[in-house]
Structures are given as C-alpha cells and as structure tokens.
Amino acid sequence: MPRRILILTDSIAPPAFAPRIVSLCRHLSDSGIECVVFSDREQGVAPFSMPFGKWYQTAYYQSGNKTCRYWMDKLFDARERQFEAFIEAQAEVSTFDAIFCSTCYYFPLQTTYRLAKKYHKPYIIDIRDVAEQWGNISYNTYSVASSRVTKGLHHLFTAWNIRKRNRVLAAANEVITISPWHQQLLSRYNSRTHLIYNGFDEQEFYPKDVPTDTFLISYAGKIYNLFFRDPRLLFGALQELLRDIPGMQKDLHLLFHVDQNSIEPLRRLAAEYGLGAYCEIHGYIPKNELLPLLHRSSVLLVLTCQSTPEGAHGIMGTKFYEALGVEKPVLCVQSDKECLAQVIEETQAGLAGSDVESVKRFIAEQYCEWQQNGFTRRKVAHKDRFSRAAQSAQIEQLLRGL
C-alpha cells in the first residue's frame, strides 16, 4: 500500500486553479498517505498556500526571454527537462511509492514518464483535457498567431505532442479522465482508462437560501470565444420574455464575470439583443466573492456548444459542478447533446437548452419560483457522486491498487 505519493501537476494556484489536486491531497493526508506536490507557477498567480502536504513550484516562463524559452520548449522539451531537474534537486524520488500526474493537455507528462522509468515507479495519469476535444474549433480566437505558417506549426506541434502523450498513457498503470467521451478516446491507448468526473468541493460549495430583490442570472468563468461558449440562445429567450412578461423588466439582472478578452464582445452581443440595460459584465470575480454570488443567483449559466463530428466533445466545465454543490437551477446553452446534457438530465439539475422556446419555459418557471420565495433551489439527484470527496476516494482506490 502506498505511503508516499509524488504528485506532479501543471498549475495548482489561482487563476489556473486545480481543486481536484487540493481535495485529493486533503483526502490522502487524512488517510495517512504523505503527499508531495510539484507544480508549475504562472504569472499573476495570487498568494495561495497548499493546506495539505508539501508543495514546490517552478516557473519556466517567468525568467529570461519568453520567446526564446517558448521555442526551446517546443523544439527541445526544455520546460519538462527543467521541471525534472527541479524535482530531483528538491526531493528523493526513490523514496516515493508511486507518482500521480494530473494535467490539462501535456505538461508534465514527459517528466512523469522519465522519472517513473528512471526510478522504476508505478504511475497514474489524470488527464483533464485533450487536444482532440476541440475538433476543428479554434477555441482561442484572441491569439495573435493567425498566419498560415504559424497555424501549420501549431498543427505540427499538436500532432507531435499527442504522439508523445500517447506513449506516456500507454505505459501508465492507470489513466483517469473526466467524461465518457474522453474515456472512450483514451481507452484506445490504455485499456485501463477510468472515468472520474470533475466535481465540487462540498466544503466550499454548499446550498444556502438567500432572498434577493432581483432575478439574477449569472455566469462566472472563461468564455474563450462566443462561438464555443455562446449565450445567443439565452439572449434570444430573454428578449421575448421581457416582451411577454412586463414585470420581468424591473426584476431581471444579468451578471457576467469573464476573461478580459471576452468583455467587449459580450457587451456588443448583449446590446444587439437590446439587453444592455439588464446586463453587467466584469472581469474575473475574486474567489472569496464567488460563493455569495452563487447563493444570490436565481439561475446559473453553463455556456457551451453543440457537439458535432467536426466540433467540440466532452466539455464539462467546473461551473456545472459548482451549481450542483449550491443546488441552484442550471441553464446550459446551448445543449452539447452529449455528455453534459446527459448528466444534467440524470441529476435533474436544470435544462440543457436547444431552442428558444424550451429556454423561455425554463426561465419563466424559475422566475415564478423566485417571485414566490425570493430565491430558487434545485434539489439534484446523485449529488454525492460528484463531490470531490467521492472522487478522491476513487483515486485513492486506484493508488492503493498499485
């Protein structure tokens, strides 16, 4: 049975927060397993202390010429090699029983592979996002890289990274991922691929009925672009509801906390639908203000797009799970008609909307409940299945199986 676990991850502190790792370390520590965490550190990270186990950070892109470092990383794997050297300088890798790597895309998969091979350690890969999930969608439309040469290089590096990733996955003792679509994809490279959904920390996200003076529909998270996370279905429904239900005009309040690049495009879109007077749009909300916002909200938005053969797949953002935790009605627009819609139906958490009429009915129902009670509440099914505690227990079982 493992007593010491070496945990490698991309970034663990806000804004690239990894609550999955924090919850896992808390759970393993309570079970008597020592955790030592090594992570990347991004610029602009707020002060944050790891409450469980030891935590070390390195910062590849925060020193020297960033362009030079970028190409050194792409061409010679410099970031991973620096991370490997940093870990070996700080810890006796040979003293650990296993390695656990949690990643969004690629880093630090190669470090995990090399350390596991060098020190003959079993390892588990927890992979939260994969390049294939975007299909042909360029989810970051604000990138300055748009030339034909740059796009060609991007596809080349993506194919190269996927090939290296698959080598690491194939050699892993176990692989974990976060949606049925991801599980099906990654099982091609390792048959021991397990589905452990993302979720909510029950100590941070819990229900509380807070009567409010306004019917608040809110969203706090990244947009990426308005094609991938598209609120048009919501805006179209509200445009008609404001015409059909006169009382809603004095009660409705839309509140968005999004990435800086999305603020102006979202404001222009709201104005196009005549919702500018009802819509308030700001940058990211401080972490300590998020839970009060969720409690005040009457409807919590989850923005996504419909899955198609060429489009996105398996996208199940943490915003949905936070809504489960606080037991607020979820409005997903538009329905992905895939993994997320299926879980929304199974949990009875709200609506995965695919047309204006269904969205109108759903909002009208929540508005009626808010008028009667001053707040809304959604009792969800199978809630415990999506708690961080349940997920950490599943991961612990896999670690003990090593």
Side-chain angles (χ1 to χ4, degrees), residues 4 10 34 83 92 106 113 116 145-146 158 177 182 185 187 298-299 318 353 359 364 376-377:
R4 299 188 79 222
D10 34 19
E34 181 185 356
F83 193 53
E92 291 287 341
Y106 311 114
Y113 179 75
S146 58
T158 297
T177 194
H182 287 78
L185 173 75
S187 291
S298 303
V299 174
T318 57
V359 174
T376 59
R377 182 77 171 269

Side-chain angles (χ1 to χ4, degrees), residues 105 134 136-142 223-225 228:
Y105 298 110
W134 301 104
N136 295 329
I137 294 176
S138 178
Y139 65 90
N140 186 2
T141 58
Y142 307 109
I223 294 287
Y224 292 116
N225 69 49
F228 169 61

Side-chain angles (χ1 to χ4, degrees), residues 71-81 160 164:
W71 287 109
M72 288 292 290
D73 178 33
K74 292 296 184 184
L75 297 175
F76 304 109
D77 216 12
R79 184 185 180 197
E80 294 266 12
R81 295 188 184 280
W160 186 15
K164 292 192 298 180

